[in-house]
Structures are given as C-alpha cells and as structure tokens.
Amino acid sequence: MSDCVFCGIASHEIPATVVYEDDLVIAFKDLEPEAPVHVLVIPKEHYGSIIDDVPDDVLVAMRHAVVYVAHETGIDETGFRVITNTGDDAGQTVHHFHMHVLGGRDLGAGLLPE
Ligand code: 5GP
Ligand code: ZN
C-alpha cells in the first residue's frame, strides 16, 4: 500500500521512533501521545484492521511486541491498556491494523471517554 503511512514506517521510508522490531512487526512511539507511554504495534504487512485475515504468527508477534514494550517501559508493573480501533464508530484514522499500548498514568476505570 504505497499511500499508507504505517507501511511507510514499516519499510523505514517514513521516520518514526522505533522501540521494537522483528521480521513480522514493528513498534514505534505515537506522534501525538495521549499518555507517557503511547506506542503503536503494527504488522509489517498491510492489513486494514483486526477484521482482516491476519495470520496467527503475526498476531502472536504483535502480542510479543506488546509484552516487550510493557517490560521495557515498566508499565507491566503499573498497568496499561491495549486498544485496537476498528472502523468508523471507533474512530480509526489509519487503516493499517495497529494496537495502541497506553500507560504510565492513571487511565481511569472506564473503558470509554465520558
Ligand atoms: P487510530 O485513530 O487509527 O486508532 O490511531 C492512529 C494513530 O496513529 C493516532 O494516535 C496518531 O497519532 C498516530 N499517527 C498517525 N500518523 C502517524 C505518523 O506518521 N507517525 C506516528 N508515529 N504516529 C502516527
Ligand atoms: Zn499499510
């Protein structure tokens, strides 16, 4: 997907602060962080969202990256939230499957903003 910003980050054509990378996934800091830790974990291959036919090994690699980021930043101790916005009602703006990893502050008890 030549016009996809996250494909550009995955191929290192678009700069990003990369915090983890392996053959299948890459994790980088969100450009507009909403918490002290706000990292995006994406597959290197383009999938539009979690609804797409994402292979099991990619999903396992994404979970591994989430845990790596949590360990490295200490939010495994303090708590964190993983969010995957999917489609219009969820406000998905980048249509390349991604997981937000958010932590480093009290995120509140509710799942959704007031
Ligand atoms: P969504 O709303 O689709 O779940 O989240 C997209 C996220 O991607 C947003 O939090 C936004 O700040 C982030 N984002 C969009 N473009 C870029 C970019 O070029 N670089 C980085 N690092 N983050 C981006
Ligand atoms: Zn893409």
Side-chain angles (χ1 to χ4, degrees), residues 35-38 73-75 78-80 102-107:
V37 177
H38 187 171
T73 57
I75 59 174
T78 52
F80 64 98
L102 293 149
R105 68 168 169 83
D106 184 352
L107 298 170

PDB file of all heavy atoms in Angstrom, residues 35-38 73-75 78-80 102-107:
ATOM      1  N   ALA A  35      -0.599   9.474  26.539  1.00  0.00           N
ATOM      2  CA  ALA A  35      -0.137   9.002  27.840  1.00  0.00           C
ATOM      3  C   ALA A  35       1.389   8.991  27.793  1.00  0.00           C
ATOM      4  O   ALA A  35       1.974   9.026  26.704  1.00  0.00           O
ATOM      5  CB  ALA A  35      -0.686   7.599  28.118  1.00  0.00           C
ATOM      6  N   PRO A  36       2.051   8.953  28.974  1.00  0.00           N
ATOM      7  CA  PRO A  36       3.526   8.943  28.981  1.00  0.00           C
ATOM      8  C   PRO A  36       4.099   7.807  28.131  1.00  0.00           C
ATOM      9  O   PRO A  36       5.139   7.984  27.487  1.00  0.00           O
ATOM     10  CB  PRO A  36       3.858   8.782  30.465  1.00  0.00           C
ATOM     11  CG  PRO A  36       2.696   9.409  31.177  1.00  0.00           C
ATOM     12  CD  PRO A  36       1.491   9.066  30.341  1.00  0.00           C
ATOM     13  N   VAL A  37       3.458   6.653  28.162  1.00  0.00           N
ATOM     14  CA  VAL A  37       3.803   5.573  27.225  1.00  0.00           C
ATOM     15  C   VAL A  37       2.649   5.452  26.237  1.00  0.00           C
ATOM     16  O   VAL A  37       1.500   5.196  26.634  1.00  0.00           O
ATOM     17  CB  VAL A  37       4.019   4.225  27.952  1.00  0.00           C
ATOM     18  CG1 VAL A  37       4.291   3.114  26.930  1.00  0.00           C
ATOM     19  CG2 VAL A  37       5.157   4.332  28.963  1.00  0.00           C
ATOM     20  N   HIS A  38       2.937   5.692  24.972  1.00  0.00           N
ATOM     21  CA  HIS A  38       1.924   5.512  23.920  1.00  0.00           C
ATOM     22  C   HIS A  38       2.664   4.995  22.683  1.00  0.00           C
ATOM     23  O   HIS A  38       3.271   5.765  21.925  1.00  0.00           O
ATOM     24  CB  HIS A  38       1.181   6.812  23.621  1.00  0.00           C
ATOM     25  CG  HIS A  38       0.027   6.635  22.683  1.00  0.00           C
ATOM     26  ND1 HIS A  38      -0.879   7.627  22.413  1.00  0.00           N
ATOM     27  CD2 HIS A  38      -0.374   5.568  21.937  1.00  0.00           C
ATOM     28  CE1 HIS A  38      -1.792   7.187  21.554  1.00  0.00           C
ATOM     29  NE2 HIS A  38      -1.500   5.933  21.242  1.00  0.00           N
ATOM     30  N   THR A  73       9.234  -0.490  29.419  1.00  0.00           N
ATOM     31  CA  THR A  73       8.807   0.816  29.936  1.00  0.00           C
ATOM     32  C   THR A  73       8.350   0.745  31.398  1.00  0.00           C
ATOM     33  O   THR A  73       8.104   1.788  31.999  1.00  0.00           O
ATOM     34  CB  THR A  73       7.643   1.371  29.084  1.00  0.00           C
ATOM     35  OG1 THR A  73       6.570   0.426  29.093  1.00  0.00           O
ATOM     36  CG2 THR A  73       8.101   1.635  27.654  1.00  0.00           C
ATOM     37  N   GLY A  74       8.226  -0.454  31.933  1.00  0.00           N
ATOM     38  CA  GLY A  74       7.801  -0.622  33.321  1.00  0.00           C
ATOM     39  C   GLY A  74       6.295  -0.634  33.524  1.00  0.00           C
ATOM     40  O   GLY A  74       5.818  -0.785  34.650  1.00  0.00           O
ATOM     41  N   ILE A  75       5.549  -0.491  32.449  1.00  0.00           N
ATOM     42  CA  ILE A  75       4.086  -0.466  32.621  1.00  0.00           C
ATOM     43  C   ILE A  75       3.510  -1.867  32.863  1.00  0.00           C
ATOM     44  O   ILE A  75       2.337  -1.996  33.186  1.00  0.00           O
ATOM     45  CB  ILE A  75       3.362   0.223  31.434  1.00  0.00           C
ATOM     46  CG1 ILE A  75       3.647  -0.484  30.106  1.00  0.00           C
ATOM     47  CG2 ILE A  75       3.731   1.707  31.380  1.00  0.00           C
ATOM     48  CD1 ILE A  75       2.833   0.077  28.933  1.00  0.00           C
ATOM     49  N   THR A  78       2.843  -1.260  36.466  1.00  0.00           N
ATOM     50  CA  THR A  78       1.878  -0.232  36.863  1.00  0.00           C
ATOM     51  C   THR A  78       0.524  -0.392  36.183  1.00  0.00           C
ATOM     52  O   THR A  78      -0.472   0.185  36.625  1.00  0.00           O
ATOM     53  CB  THR A  78       2.444   1.169  36.535  1.00  0.00           C
ATOM     54  OG1 THR A  78       2.861   1.191  35.165  1.00  0.00           O
ATOM     55  CG2 THR A  78       3.627   1.495  37.426  1.00  0.00           C
ATOM     56  N   GLY A  79       0.497  -1.129  35.093  1.00  0.00           N
ATOM     57  CA  GLY A  79      -0.758  -1.348  34.369  1.00  0.00           C
ATOM     58  C   GLY A  79      -0.781  -0.591  33.055  1.00  0.00           C
ATOM     59  O   GLY A  79      -0.128   0.452  32.903  1.00  0.00           O
ATOM     60  N   PHE A  80      -1.518  -1.108  32.132  1.00  0.00           N
ATOM     61  CA  PHE A  80      -1.597  -0.470  30.812  1.00  0.00           C
ATOM     62  C   PHE A  80      -2.843  -0.950  30.091  1.00  0.00           C
ATOM     63  O   PHE A  80      -3.556  -1.847  30.548  1.00  0.00           O
ATOM     64  CB  PHE A  80      -0.326  -0.746  29.990  1.00  0.00           C
ATOM     65  CG  PHE A  80      -0.082  -2.194  29.650  1.00  0.00           C
ATOM     66  CD1 PHE A  80      -0.440  -2.702  28.418  1.00  0.00           C
ATOM     67  CD2 PHE A  80       0.516  -3.052  30.571  1.00  0.00           C
ATOM     68  CE1 PHE A  80      -0.197  -4.030  28.090  1.00  0.00           C
ATOM     69  CE2 PHE A  80       0.754  -4.381  30.258  1.00  0.00           C
ATOM     70  CZ  PHE A  80       0.398  -4.874  29.013  1.00  0.00           C
ATOM     71  N   LEU A 102      -0.954   1.856  25.862  1.00  0.00           N
ATOM     72  CA  LEU A 102      -1.047   3.101  26.627  1.00  0.00           C
ATOM     73  C   LEU A 102      -0.807   2.833  28.102  1.00  0.00           C
ATOM     74  O   LEU A 102      -1.387   1.901  28.677  1.00  0.00           O
ATOM     75  CB  LEU A 102      -2.444   3.704  26.464  1.00  0.00           C
ATOM     76  CG  LEU A 102      -2.796   4.210  25.067  1.00  0.00           C
ATOM     77  CD1 LEU A 102      -4.282   4.066  24.817  1.00  0.00           C
ATOM     78  CD2 LEU A 102      -2.363   5.656  24.903  1.00  0.00           C
ATOM     79  N   GLY A 103       0.037   3.662  28.730  1.00  0.00           N
ATOM     80  CA  GLY A 103       0.267   3.511  30.160  1.00  0.00           C
ATOM     81  C   GLY A 103       1.146   4.627  30.680  1.00  0.00           C
ATOM     82  O   GLY A 103       1.438   5.595  29.984  1.00  0.00           O
ATOM     83  N   GLY A 104       1.552   4.476  31.939  1.00  0.00           N
ATOM     84  CA  GLY A 104       2.415   5.475  32.564  1.00  0.00           C
ATOM     85  C   GLY A 104       1.660   6.527  33.335  1.00  0.00           C
ATOM     86  O   GLY A 104       2.259   7.457  33.884  1.00  0.00           O
ATOM     87  N   ARG A 105       0.336   6.432  33.329  1.00  0.00           N
ATOM     88  CA  ARG A 105      -0.504   7.296  34.175  1.00  0.00           C
ATOM     89  C   ARG A 105      -1.793   6.548  34.463  1.00  0.00           C
ATOM     90  O   ARG A 105      -2.066   5.500  33.833  1.00  0.00           O
ATOM     91  CB  ARG A 105      -0.799   8.633  33.510  1.00  0.00           C
ATOM     92  CG  ARG A 105      -1.695   8.548  32.271  1.00  0.00           C
ATOM     93  CD  ARG A 105      -2.177   9.940  31.868  1.00  0.00           C
ATOM     94  NE  ARG A 105      -2.827   9.989  30.574  1.00  0.00           N
ATOM     95  CZ  ARG A 105      -4.105   9.692  30.336  1.00  0.00           C
ATOM     96  NH1 ARG A 105      -4.883   9.254  31.316  1.00  0.00           N
ATOM     97  NH2 ARG A 105      -4.606   9.799  29.118  1.00  0.00           N
ATOM     98  N   ASP A 106      -2.588   7.093  35.398  1.00  0.00           N
ATOM     99  CA  ASP A 106      -3.893   6.508  35.678  1.00  0.00           C
ATOM    100  C   ASP A 106      -4.792   6.721  34.461  1.00  0.00           C
ATOM    101  O   ASP A 106      -5.073   7.865  34.089  1.00  0.00           O
ATOM    102  CB  ASP A 106      -4.483   7.167  36.921  1.00  0.00           C
ATOM    103  CG  ASP A 106      -5.810   6.538  37.347  1.00  0.00           C
ATOM    104  OD1 ASP A 106      -6.340   5.693  36.592  1.00  0.00           O
ATOM    105  OD2 ASP A 106      -6.304   6.900  38.424  1.00  0.00           O
ATOM    106  N   LEU A 107      -5.203   5.658  33.830  1.00  0.00           N
ATOM    107  CA  LEU A 107      -6.021   5.753  32.613  1.00  0.00           C
ATOM    108  C   LEU A 107      -7.511   5.801  32.916  1.00  0.00           C
ATOM    109  O   LEU A 107      -8.325   5.887  31.999  1.00  0.00           O
ATOM    110  CB  LEU A 107      -5.720   4.553  31.704  1.00  0.00           C
ATOM    111  CG  LEU A 107      -4.269   4.446  31.206  1.00  0.00           C
ATOM    112  CD1 LEU A 107      -4.038   3.111  30.518  1.00  0.00           C
ATOM    113  CD2 LEU A 107      -3.915   5.603  30.280  1.00  0.00           C
TER     114      LEU A 107
END
